[in-house]
Amino acid sequence: VIAMWALLTLHRWIIHSGLKICCMLLSTQSTEAKNSEDIRCKCICPPYKELPGKIYNQNVSQKDCNCLHVVEPMPVPGKDVEAYCLRCECKYEERSSVTIKATIIIYLSILGLLLLYMVYLTLLEPVLKRRLFGHSQLIQSDDEVGDHQPFANAHDVLSRSRSRTNVLNKVEYAQQRWKRQVQEQRKSVFDRHVVLS
Amino acid sequence: TMDNQGYCGESFNSLQSGTSDEDMVEIAGATLDFSVTDDVPPLDREYAGEKSNNQGNCGAVNSTYDAMAEPVPGVGTYEDFNTIDWVREKSKDRDRHREIASKSKESTWALIQSVSDAFSGWLLMLLIGLMAGALAGGIDISAHWMTDLKDGVCLNGFWFNHEHCCWTSNETTFMERDKCPQWKSWAELIIGHSEGAFAYITNYLMYVSWALLFAFLAVSLVRAFAPYACGSGISEIKTILSGFIIRGYLGKWTLIIKTITLVLAVSSGLSLGKEGPLVHVACCCGNILCHLFTKYRKNEAKRREVLSAAAAVGVSVAFGAPIGGVLFSLEEVSYYFPLKTLWRSFFAALVAAFTLRSINPFGNSKLVLFYVEFHSPWHLLELIPFILLGIFGGLWGAFFIRTNIAWCRRRKTTKLGHYPVLEVLVVTAVTAILAFPNDYTRISTSELISELFNDCGLLDSSKLCDYINLNSSKSSNELPDRPANSNVYTAMWQLALALIFKVLITIVTFGMKVPSGLFIPSMAVGAITGRLLGVGMEQLAYYHHDWVIFKGWCTPGADCITPGLYAMVGAAACLGGVTRMTVSLVVIMFELTGGLEYIVPLMAAAMTSKWVADAIGREGIYEAHIRLNGYPFLEAKEEFGHKTLAMDVMRPRRSDPPLTVLTQDHMTVEDVETLISETTYSGFPVVVSHESQRLVGFVLRRDLVISIENARKRQDGIVSTSHIYFTEYMPPQPSTSPAQLKLRSIMDLSPFTVTDHTPMEIVVDIFRKLGLRQCLVTHNGRLLGIITKKDILKHMAQMANRDPDSILFN
């Protein structure tokens, strides 16, 4: 139970911190000094006479981003440079590798946590419960499911006002309620095909 | 206003309450009082009442239980899968606003509270924009990376996708823009070299395996944590915005799972898009952030205003089109769209677009992958092929809707629906196996559209742009029409095969149990068709420039035909044919191009496609799915043209038992509980007596249940034989009889009524405009029956010769 609670709070904390990191990255991206690897000037030069087309990449700043600075070594002799450069197109681009790295790592960690939790719920929890509490508890928790009365919600509303003093009991109760909700949703969507077909 | 809050001490003058026909006196008293205390806010009326009355309704010690001493938690909330009462919600909000406005004159703190209450709406919009923009940026970056993961890995840092891996490299060549030694395909990693049949087979196997893995993870996560996260979500959001309640549909688990599995589903190569699910994600953000503000948390009608704005935010981040997003929300998704919401939606959409721009997922500050940058002119005669594209779009739209609905219906009713995970895996396997050999289906659909929208210049080296350059001294813009080389012909038949593949596979993909959107596949189908037609026209104009139709404007050496523009118009036509969007589609497309040059072709194609599609089938894809699921959605665009009357639709019918009513002072707790358990109606009218059938009000089942249960638990003396009173004053009882229960506060004192001869056109109009859930029918002043929204929907289905039992909810 403690593990479940820790997992749930860790979840929410990760989501919140992930969002915070994203927002922080947005704000710091413009203020901190740009990594020199994250800017480039890309010049695309099409085929000219016998020369094949070529792409030139250099990390220079925006004011130096033109054909004369970037295209090195110049493949044509002096008098043709202007004609060659007229056909080249130079663009200044920048990116934030920190944002990309942070996003991918956050995404993979959330995905990993969810997968672990799913494995735990489907495989480990029934085994653990059976070992700790025996068969009777398992059957009891299954009976809570399937309250199809339209007033399951009404009873929920009233019972929510009863106070629960024990924190762990609260977590357990919240988790049971969530599981019941997911099971109801699964019944409507996957089994009875009532919603979202 | 309705007196649902039930402030105690509402006394008028010292009038006795009669139990039968002294009602006239009571009513007269009520009118007198209302005229005097017209604009006094409820709080003041309470004080005035307490001073002048000695009836002892409130605070006096007696054996009656006044159910309105404090509001019972749960009264005023709604059941799952039920419709809200718009009128009640709106008047609750007006009461709350009046209370705050009147209190604000009392102290500085109250003034600050009233200012912050007014400001809270804008703060909420700002937060929604930030959150949705951040999530969309994260989704874009992750989807890009994961899509490329099927092809290989970057040794520089595994988090870079192909393009970013080779960003700083000097090894890229003109012909192969993305070649660099740091990016290794799976064949290179596994067997060491990247050429040859063995490498091809290895790449093929890895592609299919990764696709299957992603799809399996997606569907398992959806099934295990949030089954509501599947599908596109726009149909359900439309229904929610019209007043339906689906608990959990916009919750935090649905948000998390939808975000994560959307990336997985898009990366697995399935023929689906992420625009529809982004609308769902944005609405989830909106719903979750509403819980921070009491004003929106407690009121369902205000919350739906916020959700309309959130839907606009969703489209805005999907296409980088804030105005298009707002118009999409107005046209497609929202039901009631007050003018105040228009400005706020626009603000939220702008904030989201700005946030997305700062995250910069695509580099170059582009917001969407297929941003179009050409501005070549078009000629009036080209309207003919554009209209042809529109006709194709309409035909494809109607065809797609018919086949997709048939497939979904089969999934709903036969054994196919029992194996959702297997279905996803099989479809992914078929898609991956058929998509890998063709270059144009192997890349992601957004990249395909981006390549098709691209106008070929000297700087392009893709297969599609392999033209023979005759005159090599021109600059890179303004190229004349050139004859096609062999690569272009290869690309043409590959694109034709891709078109057939996409048309067929999207039918089975949309509606599967993973998040799936429809915009990108439709645009891809249209773009392929448009490009094929455009290249055909271009070559025709080049080789036959002496024909009459080309003579005036397409001289050799001029740049007359832009195939990229045809692709764009085709994409707009197909998207319009499927979704039946009009203004929002044109505005989204013109925001994608950044200019007004192409508005006329886009409008021509969109209008033609909508007319052709409407001629074949009335509904767009989202309305068709609403109809398939049986949601209680009263279509605002349809005209009701039949001459039926209210008495033809109302219940009870002539052969049914009479209407189940409650009387205002003759019922006991046991009677009411028996009634509730024997029937399934969600509300009961309250009448003066069974003989007179004169209407007092309307009470909801849920409120009755909660109030009675609450009274039984909290108040001693309430037993099964206690009397229930819906009247203003309860008659004094001897102390030996059990305590009385007054439930006037939960009763709606102003239910809407129509007479039995009211034409159904007017009744339907009333339901639409006011957002009613039920309406009572009277005859000569006496209560005769009731019409609910479900009855109206069934009646409309019957009139259109559809199955009335397909309406499942009420």
Side-chain angles (χ1 to χ4, degrees), chain A residues 184-195:
Chain A
E184 275 300 314
Q185 286 179 12
R186 203 179 296 148
K187 278 210 185 81
S188 325
V189 175
F190 282 86
D191 301 331
R192 294 183 295 160
H193 289 281
V194 168
V195 194

Side-chain angles (χ1 to χ4, degrees), chain B residues 372 374 440 445-455 464 492 495 523-532 563-568:
Chain B
V372 154
F374 54 83
Y440 288 108
T445 324
S446 308
E447 275 180 50
L448 171 65
I449 296 181
S450 160
E451 209 176 303
L452 290 172
F453 279 5
N454 181 35
D455 188 23
L464 206 51
M492 288 295 114
L495 279 175
M523 287 176 74
V525 166
I528 296 177
T529 317
R531 188 81 188 207
L532 288 173
L565 173 63
Y566 282 68
M568 216 168 62

Side-chain angles (χ1 to χ4, degrees), chain B residues 19-190:
Chain B
T19 46
S20 57
D21 283 326
E22 288 166 30
D23 297 341
M24 294 308 272
V25 177
E26 189 178 65
I27 296 172
T31 355
L32 262 179
D33 200 38
F34 276 125
S35 65
V36 164
T37 60
D38 204 14
D39 271 325
V40 175
L43 276 181
D44 284 357
R45 216 167 59 208
E46 178 178 13
Y47 291 136
E50 264 187 336
K51 277 187 232 140
S52 68
N53 100 39
N54 53 2
Q55 291 288 331
N57 275 338
C58 182
V61 71
N62 50 16
S63 57
T64 63
Y65 177 62
D66 199 340
M68 28 189 199
E70 83 262 350
V72 178
V75 168
T77 56
Y78 298 94
E79 286 297 326
D80 200 4
F81 296 122
N82 259 317
T83 316
I84 69 172
D85 189 347
W86 283 95
V87 181
R88 178 164 87 162
E89 298 296 313
K90 283 192 200 157
S91 68
K92 262 201 310 205
D93 183 61
R94 277 196 286 268
D95 286 341
R96 183 198 63 90
H97 185 71
R98 231 195 313 254
E99 183 180 331
I100 288 189
S102 72
K103 268 170 91 167
S104 73
K105 301 176 194 120
E106 287 173 15
S107 69
T108 331
W109 173 240
L111 183 67
I112 294 177
Q113 264 191 321
S114 85
V115 167
S116 82
D117 183 75
F119 188 57
S120 64
W122 292 96
L123 182 62
L124 182 59
M125 293 294 141
L126 179 72
L127 290 175
I128 292 178
L130 288 174
M131 188 171 174
L135 278 177
I139 290 177
D140 278 337
I141 295 179
S142 315
H144 258 233
W145 175 72
M146 274 199 132
T147 314
D148 283 343
L149 195 62
K150 297 199 300 278
D151 291 327
V153 210
C154 184
L155 295 181
N156 250 356
F158 71 92
W159 53 86
F160 284 130
N161 65 353
H162 198 162
E163 185 195 341
H164 281 285
C165 194
C166 302
W167 212 70
T168 52
S169 156
N170 278 327
E171 314 270 336
T172 55
T173 65
F174 190 72
M175 295 309 292
E176 291 181 50
R177 302 282 167 103
D178 277 333
K179 190 165 95 121
C180 63
Q182 293 97 350
W183 175 264
K184 297 272 184 227
S185 68
W186 292 113
E188 276 182 52
L189 281 177
I190 295 178

Side-chain angles (χ1 to χ4, degrees), chain A residues 5-197:
Chain A
W5 181 46
L7 221 54
L8 276 171
T9 39
L10 194 63
H11 251 150
R12 286 199 195 126
W13 181 82
I14 284 187
I15 305 256
H16 286 306
S17 66
L19 285 173
K20 268 187 234 152
I21 291 177
C22 277
C23 294
M24 256 191 333
L25 284 172
L26 296 181
S27 54
T28 57
Q29 194 195 354
S30 48
T31 52
E32 73 181 22
K34 295 187 181 39
N35 193 356
S36 68
E37 267 196 11
D38 278 349
I39 59 172
R40 73 171 177 183
C41 184
K42 180 175 175 184
C43 283
I44 309 181
C45 292
Y48 180 70
K49 291 190 185 164
E50 301 86 25
L51 293 166
K54 206 158 172 353
I55 297 188
Y56 299 91
N57 266 334
Q58 262 200 39
N59 42 8
V60 292
S61 61
Q62 199 163 8
K63 60 179 174 55
D64 287 334
C65 185
N66 50 35
C67 177
L68 299 168
H69 280 102
V70 173
V71 177
E72 280 176 21
M74 188 61 72
V76 289
K79 54 183 172 59
D80 280 342
V81 165
E82 201 179 325
Y84 187 68
C85 271
L86 259 178
R87 309 157 105 242
C88 289
E89 188 183 291
C90 291
K91 248 195 314 189
Y92 175 74
E93 291 174 354
E94 63 181 36
R95 67 169 182 183
S96 167
S97 49
V98 178
T99 314
I100 297 176
K101 184 173 176 185
T103 311
I104 301 290
I105 291 182
I106 291 174
Y107 176 79
L108 285 177
S109 47
I110 296 181
L111 181 63
L113 277 174
L114 282 175
L115 286 176
L116 280 175
Y117 194 33
M118 181 171 76
V119 166
Y120 171 73
L121 279 182
T122 48
L123 297 177
L124 293 177
E125 205 183 24
V127 170
L128 276 177
K129 269 219 171 123
R130 210 174 291 142
R131 262 200 227 150
L132 286 177
F133 297 114
H135 261 282
S136 55
Q137 185 79 347
L138 199 62
I139 299 173
Q140 201 178 20
S141 66
D142 275 340
D143 275 345
E144 285 179 62
V145 171
D147 193 1
H148 281 287
Q149 274 183 38
F151 300 109
N153 221 339
H155 293 302
D156 265 339
V157 165
L158 278 178
S159 52
R160 225 178 283 156
S161 45
R162 274 184 237 124
S163 60
R164 287 196 172 254
T165 47
N166 201 345
V167 170
L168 289 180
N169 254 354
K170 252 194 206 157
V171 169
E172 172 87 35
Y173 177 65
Q175 209 215 11
Q176 288 299 333
R177 204 165 54 132
W178 172 69
K179 271 205 249 189
R180 212 180 329 139
Q181 275 173 3
V182 174
Q183 205 133 356
E184 275 300 314
Q185 286 179 12
R186 203 179 296 148
K187 278 210 185 81
S188 325
V189 175
F190 282 86
D191 301 331
R192 294 183 295 160
H193 289 281
V194 168
V195 194
L196 281 170
S197 53

